[in-house]
């Protein structure tokens, strides 16, 4: 934009270098994506561990079937050894096969227990990963980064005219740096009357202002608001006469005058102009 240009609400005024904020946004999005990816991997691990439990159940069934066969073989071998049809050595072999089958059943049960612990551990890990995702989203890092990125484009908050543009291309600015002023379309007059003149001034009374910059031309208006206190009460350093020598000084009361619409010269009013204001205290509000 250029000096004294008329702009509409939302017009881009200044573009701040957005590269750093784009990277911060990408970093925040990557953190959320990483947390969600870990959660998805956990779900895959849970499915895998559940499949392992099913496989271990099948192993137990197989081992128990072999155990039953070994027990049946052992019973027949013992009978035949008792009859002398088989040697004691063959009986020892059948007994060893039975013990091996029993060990296989115990091992299958142990493997199933390990697999079930894996499922429980995955469930616990899932809760932690869900908490990590919720924390990443609750901290609103991505939303904050998006707000910062959006704020790199400074837009006109309302319609109006710009002052001189003080910021230059490539300039380094800090928070709170004054870049330009935006003068709104709606203007008014603040008349500082003496307190002795405000006794009969009321909101809504007719007023006139003579503008020096317009050759003393008169504009019509009406009293819109009256200040709740003297101007000295709002000063940074309030007057305080502590010496005992009191001199009465007439204070100033600010009266805001709204300019009536449909006056051609009213568009020429600008902040800072000098005017002479008068209020018709005899008019009805």
């Amino acid at each position: 934009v250029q000096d004294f240009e008329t702009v509409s609400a939302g017009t881009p005024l200044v573009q701040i270098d957005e590269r750093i904020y784009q990277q911060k946004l990408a970093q925040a999005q990557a953190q959320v994506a990483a947390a969600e990816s870990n959660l998805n991997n956990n779900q895959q691990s849970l499915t895998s561990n559940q499949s392992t439990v099913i496989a271990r159940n099948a192993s137990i069934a197989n081992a128990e079937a072999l155990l039953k066969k070994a027990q049946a073989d052992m019973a027949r071998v013992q009978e035949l050894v008792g009859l002398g049809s088989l040697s004691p050595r063959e009986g020892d072999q059948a007994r060893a096969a039975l013990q091996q089958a029993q060990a296989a059943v115990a091992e299958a049960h142990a493997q199933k227990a390990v697999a079930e612990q894996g499922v429980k551990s995955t469930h616990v890990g899932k809760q932690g990963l869900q908490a990590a995702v919720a924390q990443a989203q609750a901290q609103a890092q991505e939303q904050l980064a998006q707000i910062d990125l959006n704020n790199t484009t400074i837009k006109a908050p309302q319609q109006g005219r710009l002052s001189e543009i003080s910021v230059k291309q490539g300039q380094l600015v800090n928070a709170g740096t004054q870049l330009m002023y935006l003068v709104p379309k709606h203007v008014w007059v603040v008349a500082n009357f003496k307190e002795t003149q405000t006794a009969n001034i009321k909101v809504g009374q007719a007023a006139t202002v003579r503008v020096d910059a317009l050759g003393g031309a008169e504009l019509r208006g009406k009293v819109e608001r009256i200040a709740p206190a003297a101007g000295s009460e709002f000063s940074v350093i309030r007057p305080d006469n502590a010496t005992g020598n009191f001199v009465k000084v007439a204070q100033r009361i600010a009266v805001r005058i709204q300019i009536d619409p449909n006056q051609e010269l009213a568009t020429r009013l600008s902040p800072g102009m000098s005017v002479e204001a008068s209020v018709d205290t005899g008019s009805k509000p």
Side-chain angles (χ1 to χ4, degrees), residues 142-177:
E142 182 178 358
Q143 290 86 345
L144 292 175
Q146 184 66 60
I147 291 173
D148 288 339
L149 180 60
N150 293 339
N151 287 341
T152 58
T153 301
I154 302 176
K155 300 180 180 180
Q158 59 179 312
Q159 182 183 8
R161 294 184 62 193
L162 299 177
S163 64
E164 292 185 4
I165 310 301
S166 58
V167 63
K168 305 301 179 184
Q169 184 174 358
Q171 179 180 345
L172 178 64
V173 295
N174 296 317
T177 301

Side-chain angles (χ1 to χ4, degrees), residues 56-79:
R56 293 294 178 257
N57 286 330
S59 298
I60 290 174
N62 182 62
E64 289 177 344
L66 294 176
L67 176 60
K68 290 180 180 179
K69 180 179 180 302
Q71 290 173 339
D73 291 342
M74 185 62 189
R76 288 192 298 268
V77 168
Q78 285 179 337
E79 182 179 355

Side-chain angles (χ1 to χ4, degrees), residues 15-34:
Q15 177 64 53
I16 299 175
D17 186 1
E18 73 277 8
R19 291 175 295 176
I20 294 177
Y21 302 99
Q22 286 177 340
Q23 291 300 319
K24 289 184 177 180
L25 176 60
Q27 183 180 11
Q29 290 173 338
Q31 290 176 349
V32 175

Side-chain angles (χ1 to χ4, degrees), residues 46 49 113-127:
L46 177 61
N49 290 337
V114 172
E116 289 176 341
Q117 289 298 321
V119 172
K120 293 180 181 179
S121 177
T122 308
H123 274 298
V124 174
K126 180 179 181 180
Q127 295 175 356

Side-chain angles (χ1 to χ4, degrees), residues 43-227:
Q43 182 61 41
Q44 293 180 353
S45 298
L46 177 61
T47 302
S48 176
N49 290 337
Q50 290 173 339
S51 299
T52 301
V53 172
I54 296 175
R56 293 294 178 257
N57 286 330
S59 298
I60 290 174
N62 182 62
E64 289 177 344
L66 294 176
L67 176 60
K68 290 180 180 179
K69 180 179 180 302
Q71 290 173 339
D73 291 342
M74 185 62 189
R76 288 192 298 268
V77 168
Q78 285 179 337
E79 182 179 355
L80 293 174
V81 169
L83 296 174
S85 300
L86 293 177
S87 64
R89 182 170 177 271
E90 291 174 323
D92 293 339
Q93 291 176 346
R95 189 176 295 104
L98 175 61
Q99 293 174 349
Q100 185 177 4
Q102 291 172 338
V105 171
E107 181 182 3
H109 280 287
Q111 290 177 346
K112 179 185 176 181
V114 172
E116 289 176 341
Q117 289 298 321
V119 172
K120 293 180 181 179
S121 177
T122 308
H123 274 298
V124 174
K126 180 179 181 180
Q127 295 175 356
L129 293 174
Q130 287 175 333
V133 173
Q135 182 180 9
Q137 295 174 344
Q139 289 178 347
Q141 295 298 324
E142 182 178 358
Q143 290 86 345
L144 292 175
Q146 184 66 60
I147 291 173
D148 288 339
L149 180 60
N150 293 339
N151 287 341
T152 58
T153 301
I154 302 176
K155 300 180 180 180
Q158 59 179 312
Q159 182 183 8
R161 294 184 62 193
L162 299 177
S163 64
E164 292 185 4
I165 310 301
S166 58
V167 63
K168 305 301 179 184
Q169 184 174 358
Q171 179 180 345
L172 178 64
V173 295
N174 296 317
T177 301
Q178 184 67 52
L179 307 180
M180 66 191 72
Y181 289 93
L182 177 64
V183 180
K185 185 177 180 180
H186 177 64
V187 294
W188 57 88
V189 171
V190 176
N192 293 300
F193 288 101
K194 293 181 180 179
E195 57 184 334
T196 54
Q197 297 175 313
T198 61
N200 297 319
I201 294 180
K202 299 179 181 179
V203 174
Q205 291 176 335
T208 58
V209 294
R210 290 185 294 274
V211 186
D212 294 351
L214 301 179
E218 285 192 356
L219 295 175
R220 301 181 307 277
K222 63 180 180 181
V223 176
E224 185 179 17
R225 301 172 195 166
I226 301 175

